Amino acid sequence: MSKKPNRQQTEAKINVRAWKDPAFKEKLMQDPRSALKDMGMSKIPEALAIQTIEEKKNQWIIRLQERPVNYHDLSEEALEKAASGEPQEAKCCPKHPG
């Protein structure tokens, strides 16, 4: 069974495709949802807003993650994992028996 690619791996594949295919890059800039569907990403939720920004030389675009609800309970290490986009274990809900 193959492991589902993470966000970083997915964005790397998108970048490579955009570097190799100028028409895809243009479509990605104008209509990212359609461009991603062309790559086989057909299960994109309609409620998901998608924005494409090209980082130029001598530019740094910082992507801020949404702050976890329980951020004040997390260790520095757990906060860094959350900031890198790693999924977090929910502590909000009791586990249902068996």
XYZ file of all heavy atoms in Angstrom:
785
model
N 0.847 -1.183 0.000
C 0.000 0.000 0.000
C 0.892 1.245 0.000
O 1.790 1.374 0.820
C -0.894 -0.048 1.241
C -1.843 1.109 1.326
S -3.183 0.841 2.501
C -2.426 1.325 4.019
N 0.663 2.164 -0.910
C 1.490 3.364 -0.976
C 0.952 4.425 -0.018
O -0.246 4.537 0.209
C 1.535 3.902 -2.408
O 0.260 4.327 -2.803
N 1.882 5.204 0.502
C 1.544 6.252 1.455
C 1.028 7.473 0.697
O 1.560 7.836 -0.359
C 2.792 6.598 2.256
C 2.551 7.488 3.420
C 3.845 7.667 4.205
C 3.614 8.596 5.371
N 4.838 8.840 6.124
N -0.008 8.102 1.241
C -0.572 9.309 0.633
C 0.464 10.429 0.689
O 1.063 10.663 1.737
C -1.837 9.707 1.398
C -2.540 10.904 0.846
C -3.781 11.200 1.655
C -4.392 12.509 1.217
N -5.529 12.880 2.056
N 0.717 11.147 -0.434
C 1.708 12.225 -0.416
C 1.271 13.348 0.530
O 0.092 13.644 0.633
C 1.774 12.710 -1.860
C 0.712 12.017 -2.602
C 0.094 10.981 -1.725
N 2.248 13.968 1.181
C 1.920 15.088 2.048
C 1.881 16.380 1.238
O 2.158 16.385 0.032
C 2.894 15.167 3.230
C 4.317 15.479 2.808
O 4.571 16.119 1.795
N 5.269 15.012 3.585
N 1.561 17.468 1.897
C 1.419 18.754 1.210
C 2.717 19.166 0.517
O 2.703 19.633 -0.617
C 0.986 19.810 2.219
C 0.779 21.169 1.625
C 0.314 22.139 2.689
N 0.088 23.437 2.125
C -0.789 24.300 2.584
N -1.535 24.002 3.622
N -0.944 25.474 2.020
N 3.847 19.003 1.204
C 5.133 19.403 0.634
C 5.435 18.604 -0.635
O 5.876 19.168 -1.639
C 6.228 19.213 1.681
C 7.562 19.767 1.267
C 8.595 19.642 2.374
O 8.422 18.893 3.330
N 9.683 20.364 2.238
N 5.181 17.303 -0.618
C 5.428 16.461 -1.792
C 4.487 16.850 -2.935
O 4.902 16.902 -4.098
C 5.231 14.992 -1.430
C 6.281 14.465 -0.476
C 5.900 13.125 0.133
O 4.726 12.834 0.346
N 6.898 12.300 0.406
N 3.236 17.125 -2.594
C 2.262 17.520 -3.615
C 2.660 18.842 -4.253
O 2.638 18.983 -5.486
C 0.852 17.615 -2.997
O 0.506 16.337 -2.452
C -0.180 18.020 -4.036
N 3.055 19.820 -3.432
C 3.464 21.111 -3.977
C 4.730 20.982 -4.823
O 4.883 21.688 -5.822
C 3.645 22.131 -2.857
C 2.312 22.574 -2.276
C 2.428 23.602 -1.165
O 3.557 24.004 -0.800
O 1.376 24.009 -0.646
N 5.623 20.067 -4.455
C 6.827 19.840 -5.263
C 6.446 19.331 -6.654
O 6.982 19.796 -7.664
C 7.759 18.852 -4.568
N 5.505 18.394 -6.722
C 5.057 17.870 -8.021
C 4.401 18.963 -8.857
O 4.597 19.026 -10.074
C 4.095 16.703 -7.818
C 4.793 15.464 -7.310
C 3.834 14.324 -7.122
C 4.594 13.168 -6.487
N 4.112 11.889 -6.837
N 3.617 19.815 -8.212
C 2.967 20.922 -8.921
C 4.031 21.861 -9.484
O 3.940 22.296 -10.643
C 1.995 21.661 -7.983
C 0.817 20.749 -7.615
C 1.500 22.956 -8.626
C -0.032 21.251 -6.458
N 5.061 22.173 -8.679
C 6.135 23.055 -9.133
C 6.855 22.471 -10.344
O 7.096 23.180 -11.326
C 7.141 23.301 -7.999
C 6.799 24.502 -7.180
O 7.154 25.619 -7.528
N 6.094 24.280 -6.092
N 7.206 21.199 -10.278
C 7.919 20.562 -11.389
C 7.088 20.644 -12.665
O 7.592 20.991 -13.734
C 8.297 19.105 -11.038
C 8.798 18.361 -12.264
C 9.352 19.084 -9.930
N 5.807 20.352 -12.540
C 4.926 20.413 -13.723
C 4.882 21.832 -14.277
O 4.953 22.042 -15.493
C 3.523 19.925 -13.331
C 2.462 20.103 -14.387
C 2.394 18.946 -15.360
N 1.421 19.190 -16.400
C 0.169 18.712 -16.399
N -0.235 17.932 -15.420
N -0.646 18.989 -17.375
N 4.792 22.833 -13.378
C 4.740 24.232 -13.828
C 6.054 24.656 -14.482
O 6.046 25.421 -15.448
C 4.406 25.142 -12.648
N 7.178 24.168 -13.968
C 8.476 24.502 -14.566
C 8.608 23.920 -15.964
O 9.173 24.544 -16.855
C 9.623 23.966 -13.712
C 9.756 24.593 -12.361
C 9.265 25.811 -11.948
C 10.418 24.042 -11.228
N 9.583 26.032 -10.638
C 10.297 24.970 -10.162
C 11.093 22.852 -11.000
C 10.836 24.744 -8.901
C 11.637 22.625 -9.743
C 11.511 23.568 -8.709
N 8.082 22.719 -16.169
C 8.227 22.026 -17.451
C 7.174 22.432 -18.476
O 7.401 22.284 -19.675
C 8.137 20.516 -17.237
C 9.324 19.933 -16.508
C 9.170 18.427 -16.361
C 10.397 17.781 -15.774
N 10.270 16.318 -15.710
N 6.023 22.902 -18.011
C 4.890 23.143 -18.897
C 4.340 24.557 -18.696
O 3.515 24.793 -17.817
C 3.807 22.097 -18.596
C 2.602 22.184 -19.498
O 2.458 23.175 -20.246
O 1.775 21.245 -19.444
N 4.802 25.529 -19.509
C 4.355 26.915 -19.349
C 2.836 27.090 -19.451
O 2.263 27.933 -18.760
C 5.063 27.664 -20.482
C 6.226 26.811 -20.839
C 5.804 25.391 -20.573
N 2.183 26.303 -20.278
C 0.722 26.408 -20.399
C 0.048 25.968 -19.095
O -0.930 26.585 -18.649
C 0.219 25.563 -21.572
N 0.571 24.909 -18.466
C 0.035 24.467 -17.174
C 0.258 25.557 -16.125
O -0.632 25.861 -15.347
C 0.699 23.162 -16.731
C 0.331 22.778 -15.324
C -0.895 22.193 -15.046
C 1.203 23.023 -14.279
C -1.248 21.859 -13.742
C 0.864 22.686 -12.972
C -0.368 22.110 -12.707
N 1.448 26.161 -16.121
C 1.747 27.220 -15.156
C 0.754 28.367 -15.298
O 0.222 28.871 -14.304
C 3.172 27.734 -15.334
C 3.508 28.868 -14.398
C 4.909 29.386 -14.649
C 5.180 30.618 -13.809
N 6.479 31.209 -14.106
N 0.499 28.770 -16.518
C -0.447 29.866 -16.762
C -1.842 29.491 -16.263
O -2.524 30.288 -15.619
C -0.485 30.225 -18.250
C -1.390 31.391 -18.574
C -0.967 32.699 -17.907
O 0.235 32.901 -17.671
O -1.859 33.519 -17.610
N -2.258 28.272 -16.537
C -3.564 27.807 -16.075
C -3.602 27.754 -14.551
O -4.599 28.121 -13.931
C -3.882 26.433 -16.664
C -5.297 25.973 -16.403
C -5.593 24.704 -17.195
C -7.055 24.344 -17.108
N -7.381 23.183 -17.934
N -2.507 27.312 -13.934
C -2.409 27.251 -12.481
C -2.547 28.642 -11.864
O -3.175 28.807 -10.821
C -1.079 26.614 -12.080
C -0.846 26.332 -10.606
C -1.842 25.300 -10.083
C 0.577 25.837 -10.387
N -1.983 29.643 -12.512
C -2.078 31.018 -12.014
C -3.491 31.571 -12.194
O -3.983 32.285 -11.325
C -1.073 31.919 -12.738
C 0.390 31.524 -12.552
S 0.978 31.580 -10.855
C 1.023 33.332 -10.560
N -4.143 31.217 -13.292
C -5.462 31.774 -13.603
C -6.622 30.973 -13.007
O -7.611 31.546 -12.562
C -5.645 31.868 -15.131
C -4.629 32.739 -15.818
C -4.662 34.178 -15.335
O -5.712 34.757 -15.132
N -3.487 34.745 -15.119
N -6.503 29.665 -13.045
C -7.587 28.775 -12.612
C -6.979 27.547 -11.919
O -6.944 26.458 -12.491
C -8.430 28.363 -13.823
C -9.649 27.550 -13.466
O -9.917 27.313 -12.257
O -10.360 27.117 -14.399
N -6.485 27.722 -10.688
C -5.758 26.634 -10.036
C -6.575 25.356 -9.864
O -6.051 24.258 -10.029
C -5.336 27.215 -8.692
C -6.106 28.454 -8.507
C -6.546 28.914 -9.845
N -7.843 25.476 -9.571
C -8.680 24.281 -9.378
C -8.709 23.426 -10.650
O -8.528 22.214 -10.606
C -10.097 24.696 -8.972
C -11.009 23.533 -8.654
C -12.342 24.009 -8.102
N -12.193 24.780 -6.890
C -12.049 24.260 -5.672
N -12.062 22.968 -5.519
N -11.907 25.036 -4.623
N -8.887 24.053 -11.777
C -8.929 23.340 -13.048
C -7.557 22.737 -13.383
O -7.469 21.598 -13.855
C -9.368 24.290 -14.161
O -9.359 23.651 -15.400
N -6.490 23.485 -13.113
C -5.145 22.981 -13.382
C -4.844 21.757 -12.515
O -4.266 20.776 -12.992
C -4.109 24.081 -13.131
N -5.247 21.796 -11.260
C -5.008 20.660 -10.370
C -5.829 19.450 -10.804
O -5.362 18.318 -10.723
C -5.312 21.046 -8.924
C -4.381 22.124 -8.345
C -4.848 22.531 -6.951
C -2.941 21.671 -8.335
N -7.029 19.683 -11.296
C -7.840 18.575 -11.823
C -7.155 17.949 -13.032
O -7.188 16.735 -13.205
C -9.249 19.046 -12.159
C -10.102 19.242 -10.926
C -11.519 19.634 -11.267
C -12.331 19.810 -9.983
N -13.706 20.210 -10.251
N -6.495 18.777 -13.845
C -5.736 18.263 -14.994
C -4.598 17.341 -14.543
O -4.174 16.466 -15.283
C -5.138 19.404 -15.819
C -6.170 20.171 -16.608
O -7.360 19.745 -16.645
O -5.807 21.226 -17.174
N -4.115 17.545 -13.316
C -3.052 16.697 -12.765
C -3.615 15.438 -12.118
O -2.862 14.642 -11.566
C -2.254 17.462 -11.696
C -1.288 18.458 -12.244
S -0.218 19.133 -10.925
C 0.779 17.699 -10.506
N -4.937 15.268 -12.153
C -5.542 14.086 -11.567
C -6.041 14.290 -10.150
O -6.455 13.338 -9.492
N -6.001 15.511 -9.668
C -6.479 15.805 -8.318
C -7.972 16.122 -8.392
O -8.377 17.278 -8.376
C -5.675 16.962 -7.716
C -4.199 16.658 -7.598
S -3.212 18.066 -7.044
C -3.760 18.183 -5.355
N -8.771 15.082 -8.433
C -10.204 15.258 -8.667
C -11.035 15.382 -7.401
O -12.210 15.714 -7.472
C -10.730 14.089 -9.505
O -10.492 12.878 -8.809
N -10.439 15.133 -6.236
C -11.207 15.154 -4.988
C -10.958 16.419 -4.179
O -10.906 16.388 -2.959
C -10.878 13.918 -4.153
C -11.283 12.631 -4.819
C -10.994 11.441 -3.963
C -11.416 10.172 -4.674
N -11.167 8.981 -3.878
N -10.857 17.547 -4.840
C -10.639 18.816 -4.153
C -11.993 19.330 -3.669
O -12.893 19.544 -4.478
C -9.988 19.852 -5.092
C -8.667 19.323 -5.643
C -9.802 21.180 -4.377
C -8.090 20.153 -6.770
N -12.152 19.535 -2.369
C -13.440 20.021 -1.860
C -13.796 21.382 -2.455
O -12.931 22.260 -2.583
C -13.211 20.140 -0.346
C -12.015 19.304 -0.052
C -11.185 19.298 -1.302
N -15.043 21.557 -2.813
C -15.491 22.819 -3.393
C -15.297 23.983 -2.423
O -15.071 25.113 -2.838
C -16.964 22.726 -3.826
C -17.179 21.898 -5.073
C -16.450 22.442 -6.294
O -16.415 23.679 -6.498
O -15.901 21.630 -7.061
N -15.400 23.725 -1.132
C -15.259 24.783 -0.124
C -13.808 25.213 0.079
O -13.552 26.208 0.750
C -15.849 24.314 1.205
N -12.858 24.479 -0.496
C -11.444 24.798 -0.321
C -11.047 25.933 -1.260
O -11.142 25.818 -2.480
C -10.582 23.562 -0.618
C -9.083 23.723 -0.460
C -8.723 23.983 0.999
C -8.374 22.483 -0.970
N -10.607 27.049 -0.680
C -10.110 28.175 -1.479
C -8.676 27.864 -1.893
O -7.870 27.446 -1.068
C -10.162 29.462 -0.673
N -8.368 28.049 -3.157
C -7.028 27.764 -3.674
C -6.467 29.041 -4.280
O -7.131 29.688 -5.096
C -7.066 26.652 -4.740
C -7.707 25.396 -4.174
C -5.659 26.362 -5.254
C -7.988 24.338 -5.209
N -5.249 29.375 -3.899
C -4.589 30.566 -4.421
C -3.186 30.182 -4.855
O -2.486 29.473 -4.135
C -4.529 31.641 -3.333
C -3.925 32.929 -3.774
C -3.924 33.967 -2.649
O -4.189 33.668 -1.501
N -3.602 35.189 -3.007
N -2.770 30.643 -6.018
C -1.418 30.382 -6.510
C -0.641 31.694 -6.515
O -1.099 32.682 -7.087
C -1.447 29.809 -7.940
O -2.262 28.644 -7.949
C -0.059 29.460 -8.419
N 0.519 31.678 -5.867
C 1.406 32.835 -5.842
C 2.791 32.334 -6.231
O 3.278 31.352 -5.678
C 1.467 33.475 -4.437
C 0.087 33.959 -4.009
C 2.472 34.617 -4.410
C 0.023 34.428 -2.570
N 3.414 32.998 -7.169
C 4.757 32.610 -7.580
C 5.776 33.419 -6.782
O 5.762 34.646 -6.802
C 4.963 32.854 -9.072
C 6.321 32.403 -9.560
C 6.484 32.574 -11.058
O 5.675 33.272 -11.685
O 7.444 32.012 -11.585
N 6.639 32.716 -6.070
C 7.699 33.376 -5.311
C 8.847 33.679 -6.271
O 9.395 32.773 -6.893
C 8.164 32.458 -4.173
C 9.160 33.122 -3.249
C 9.478 32.235 -2.059
O 8.710 32.253 -1.097
O 10.491 31.508 -2.135
N 9.190 34.933 -6.387
C 10.253 35.379 -7.306
C 11.599 35.412 -6.588
O 11.676 35.324 -5.370
C 9.938 36.791 -7.825
C 8.584 36.936 -8.482
C 8.579 36.376 -9.851
C 7.238 36.718 -10.513
N 7.140 36.257 -11.835
N 12.651 35.559 -7.373
C 13.994 35.714 -6.817
C 13.989 36.957 -5.919
O 13.344 37.956 -6.243
C 15.002 35.889 -7.958
C 16.422 35.963 -7.502
C 17.346 36.065 -8.697
C 18.780 36.153 -8.193
N 19.732 36.262 -9.290
N 14.689 36.888 -4.809
C 14.763 37.982 -3.839
C 13.406 38.311 -3.219
O 13.127 39.459 -2.888
C 15.382 39.247 -4.456
C 16.813 39.021 -4.871
O 17.559 38.339 -4.185
N 17.197 39.558 -6.008
N 12.578 37.284 -3.090
C 11.270 37.437 -2.455
C 11.055 36.227 -1.546
O 11.460 35.111 -1.871
C 10.167 37.498 -3.522
C 8.790 37.700 -2.972
C 7.731 37.713 -4.078
O 7.911 37.131 -5.148
N 6.632 38.373 -3.817
N 10.401 36.439 -0.421
C 10.095 35.352 0.500
C 8.635 35.472 0.881
O 8.230 36.426 1.533
C 10.975 35.441 1.735
C 10.802 34.353 2.748
C 10.188 33.144 2.577
C 11.238 34.370 4.097
N 10.232 32.412 3.729
C 10.886 33.159 4.696
C 11.909 35.308 4.876
C 11.166 32.846 6.013
C 12.190 34.995 6.189
C 11.819 33.777 6.741
N 7.850 34.517 0.459
C 6.431 34.486 0.800
C 6.276 33.533 1.977
O 6.593 32.345 1.867
C 5.566 34.047 -0.393
C 5.723 35.056 -1.532
C 4.112 33.881 0.024
C 5.081 34.644 -2.827
N 5.808 34.050 3.087
C 5.642 33.243 4.295
C 4.178 32.826 4.398
O 3.280 33.665 4.387
C 6.061 34.031 5.553
C 7.546 34.411 5.447
C 5.771 33.228 6.816
C 8.017 35.346 6.537
N 3.974 31.515 4.475
C 2.619 30.972 4.596
C 2.358 30.712 6.077
O 3.012 29.890 6.694
C 2.496 29.680 3.794
C 1.112 29.089 3.833
C 1.015 27.842 3.003
N 1.815 26.788 3.605
C 2.465 25.867 2.919
N 2.423 25.869 1.613
N 3.145 24.936 3.528
N 1.411 31.434 6.644
C 1.058 31.239 8.046
C -0.047 30.193 8.150
O -1.071 30.300 7.485
C 0.570 32.551 8.677
C 1.597 33.667 8.788
C 0.946 34.911 9.385
C 2.781 33.243 9.630
N 0.190 29.204 8.997
C -0.810 28.176 9.262
C -1.828 28.720 10.263
O -1.507 29.594 11.073
C -0.154 26.916 9.842
C 0.885 26.285 8.964
C 0.294 25.620 7.727
O -0.877 25.293 7.677
N 1.115 25.423 6.722
N -3.025 28.189 10.236
C -4.028 28.563 11.235
C -3.577 28.020 12.590
O -3.115 26.892 12.707
C -5.388 27.972 10.863
C -6.487 28.415 11.776
C -7.866 27.967 11.297
O -7.943 27.242 10.289
O -8.835 28.327 11.952
N -3.699 28.838 13.614
C -3.257 28.455 14.953
C -4.131 27.329 15.495
O -5.354 27.396 15.429
C -3.339 29.663 15.878
C -2.847 29.396 17.288
C -2.827 30.631 18.119
N -4.183 31.054 18.417
C -4.483 32.150 19.086
N -3.534 32.955 19.514
N -5.736 32.461 19.324
N -3.502 26.264 16.034
C -4.290 25.169 16.619
C -5.126 25.673 17.794
O -4.687 26.541 18.549
C -3.232 24.173 17.116
C -1.960 24.563 16.453
C -2.066 26.018 16.124
N -6.309 25.123 17.951
C -7.205 25.524 19.031
C -6.521 25.341 20.386
O -6.624 26.182 21.268
C -8.527 24.720 18.967
C -9.406 25.018 20.156
C -9.256 25.004 17.669
N -5.795 24.256 20.542
C -5.159 23.946 21.821
C -3.683 24.361 21.849
O -2.885 23.764 22.560
C -5.290 22.458 22.132
C -4.549 21.598 21.125
O -4.354 21.984 19.982
N -4.146 20.413 21.537
N -3.323 25.421 21.125
C -1.914 25.801 20.995
C -1.235 26.027 22.343
O -0.065 25.724 22.514
C -1.757 27.050 20.115
C -2.140 28.333 20.810
C -1.182 29.124 21.410
C -3.467 28.728 20.884
C -1.527 30.295 22.053
C -3.821 29.883 21.529
C -2.851 30.671 22.114
O -3.214 31.816 22.766
N -1.958 26.543 23.334
C -1.348 26.844 24.628
C -1.009 25.571 25.418
O -0.222 25.615 26.353
C -2.244 27.763 25.460
C -3.635 27.251 25.648
N -4.594 27.333 24.660
C -4.223 26.616 26.688
C -5.718 26.783 25.092
N -5.521 26.338 26.317
N -1.587 24.425 25.019
C -1.301 23.146 25.676
C -0.167 22.375 25.004
O 0.250 21.342 25.513
C -2.548 22.243 25.671
C -3.696 22.823 26.470
O -3.432 23.551 27.449
O -4.856 22.550 26.113
N 0.318 22.850 23.872
C 1.306 22.112 23.091
C 2.733 22.497 23.459
O 3.015 23.663 23.757
C 1.084 22.348 21.600
C -0.273 21.916 21.044
C -0.397 22.324 19.577
C -0.475 20.428 21.195
N 3.629 21.520 23.384
C 5.054 21.781 23.588
C 5.585 22.553 22.387
O 4.946 22.624 21.328
C 5.815 20.462 23.723
O 5.798 19.767 22.476
N 6.771 23.090 22.523
C 7.403 23.818 21.413
C 7.571 22.891 20.203
O 7.344 23.288 19.061
C 8.755 24.372 21.866
C 9.295 25.470 20.990
C 8.474 26.763 21.037
O 7.765 27.009 22.026
O 8.542 27.505 20.048
N 7.955 21.641 20.463
C 8.124 20.660 19.387
C 6.789 20.400 18.675
O 6.730 20.368 17.445
C 8.678 19.350 19.946
C 8.911 18.292 18.878
C 9.433 16.984 19.452
O 9.596 16.854 20.676
O 9.659 16.072 18.634
N 5.723 20.229 19.449
C 4.402 19.988 18.858
C 3.924 21.211 18.077
O 3.309 21.076 17.015
C 3.400 19.618 19.941
N 4.226 22.406 18.571
C 3.855 23.630 17.851
C 4.583 23.708 16.511
O 3.992 24.075 15.497
C 4.178 24.865 18.693
C 3.215 25.163 19.832
C 3.778 26.253 20.734
C 1.847 25.546 19.319
N 5.869 23.344 16.502
C 6.629 23.370 15.249
C 6.090 22.360 14.252
O 6.018 22.637 13.051
C 8.110 23.150 15.529
C 8.759 24.362 16.169
C 10.248 24.208 16.412
O 10.872 23.304 15.817
O 10.779 25.005 17.197
N 5.670 21.197 14.731
C 5.071 20.192 13.844
C 3.764 20.715 13.269
O 3.491 20.566 12.080
C 4.841 18.882 14.592
C 6.107 18.102 14.838
C 5.818 16.798 15.547
C 7.098 16.006 15.761
N 6.830 14.724 16.426
N 2.950 21.338 14.123
C 1.682 21.904 13.650
C 1.946 23.001 12.620
O 1.259 23.091 11.601
C 0.872 22.450 14.821
N 2.948 23.832 12.870
C 3.275 24.922 11.952
C 3.785 24.411 10.615
O 3.622 25.069 9.591
C 4.312 25.848 12.596
N 4.387 23.214 10.610
C 4.880 22.649 9.352
C 3.776 21.943 8.574
O 4.006 21.433 7.496
C 6.035 21.684 9.619
O 5.557 20.507 10.238
N 2.577 21.920 9.154
C 1.447 21.324 8.449
C 1.172 19.883 8.801
O 0.294 19.263 8.210
N 1.909 19.320 9.771
C 1.653 17.934 10.167
C 0.297 17.850 10.855
O -0.050 18.706 11.659
C 2.739 17.431 11.133
C 4.046 17.142 10.465
C 5.033 16.463 11.403
O 4.609 15.754 12.329
O 6.246 16.654 11.188
N -0.467 16.808 10.544
C -1.765 16.660 11.195
C -1.599 16.467 12.702
O -0.638 15.851 13.148
C -2.375 15.414 10.554
C -1.338 14.835 9.679
C -0.167 15.758 9.618
N -2.525 17.012 13.444
C -2.468 16.932 14.894
C -3.541 15.994 15.412
O -4.629 15.909 14.852
C -2.657 18.325 15.510
C -1.603 19.315 15.058
C -0.206 18.864 15.398
O 0.101 18.657 16.562
N 0.635 18.694 14.401
N -3.229 15.324 16.502
C -4.190 14.423 17.125
C -5.216 15.256 17.885
O -4.861 16.134 18.669
C -3.466 13.488 18.089
C -4.348 12.398 18.638
C -3.552 11.412 19.483
O -2.455 11.018 19.071
O -4.047 11.062 20.550
N -6.476 15.001 17.646
C -7.534 15.742 18.322
C -7.645 15.299 19.775
O -7.590 14.123 20.078
C -8.865 15.518 17.613
N -7.780 16.260 20.675
C -7.950 15.966 22.088
C -9.328 16.408 22.561
O -9.623 16.374 23.738
C -6.880 16.682 22.908
C -5.488 16.184 22.653
C -4.496 16.881 23.553
C -3.097 16.350 23.310
N -2.114 16.996 24.167
N -10.165 16.796 21.643
C -11.436 17.400 22.018
C -12.534 16.388 22.339
O -13.445 16.700 23.072
C -11.932 18.293 20.891
S -12.390 17.375 19.410
N -12.417 15.224 21.780
C -13.578 14.358 21.798
C -13.275 13.029 22.494
O -12.234 12.429 22.247
C -14.040 14.056 20.379
S -14.174 15.548 19.384
N -14.181 12.564 23.319
C -13.958 11.258 23.954
C -14.012 10.149 22.913
O -14.720 10.241 21.923
C -15.103 11.145 24.949
C -16.146 12.077 24.450
C -15.443 13.158 23.683
N -13.219 9.109 23.154
C -13.225 7.965 22.252
C -14.463 7.121 22.522
O -14.845 6.939 23.667
C -11.961 7.123 22.442
C -10.713 7.855 22.011
C -9.506 6.968 22.110
C -8.293 7.755 21.641
N -7.094 6.983 21.637
N -15.070 6.660 21.454
C -16.255 5.803 21.597
C -15.805 4.379 21.918
O -14.838 3.890 21.343
C -17.075 5.809 20.299
C -17.629 7.162 19.989
N -18.673 7.703 20.689
C -17.261 8.083 19.067
C -18.938 8.903 20.193
N -18.097 9.158 19.214
N -16.485 3.715 22.831
C -16.116 2.341 23.137
C -16.278 1.428 21.926
O -17.215 1.583 21.160
C -17.060 1.927 24.265
C -18.047 3.031 24.439
C -17.623 4.185 23.600
N -15.319 0.500 21.808
C -15.199 -0.546 20.869
C -16.052 -0.655 19.728
O -16.133 -1.233 18.820
